[in-house]
Amino acid sequence: MIYSNDDPMAILAMEMERTGDYGDCGEDSALKCPICGAYEPEYYYLDDDEECIGCSECVYRSDVLF
């Protein structure tokens, strides 16, 4: 699999290749935003129905409505 340089999974893939994939440190251990895919964001934002609408990486606050 090809990862971008800023993807945290790139280091994990490199270490798995180097060590022969011993141990249990799969991709499921990292929390990931279901909207934008950011790994371990600081906050998740939910709507009134408790559905995730994004995280601190993909949702921002604005004082003006567009």
Side-chain angles (χ1 to χ4, degrees), residues 1-62:
M1 178 174 267
I2 298 174
Y3 294 97
S4 64
N5 288 340
D6 60 347
D7 190 344
M9 297 312 295
I11 295 173
L12 179 60
M14 180 187 67
E15 286 299 304
M16 288 171 62
E17 183 66 29
R18 183 182 69 84
T19 61
D21 192 20
Y22 65 86
D24 184 22
C25 52
E27 292 186 24
D28 294 334
S29 63
L31 296 176
K32 187 167 117 173
C33 176
I35 306 302
C36 70
Y39 286 95
E40 299 181 357
E42 190 171 349
Y43 297 105
Y44 288 98
Y45 296 102
L46 308 175
D47 64 4
D48 294 334
D49 298 326
E50 298 293 320
E51 294 284 328
C52 182
I53 60 169
C55 69
S56 55
E57 299 292 322
C58 62
V59 176
Y60 63 93
R61 180 179 171 174
S62 174

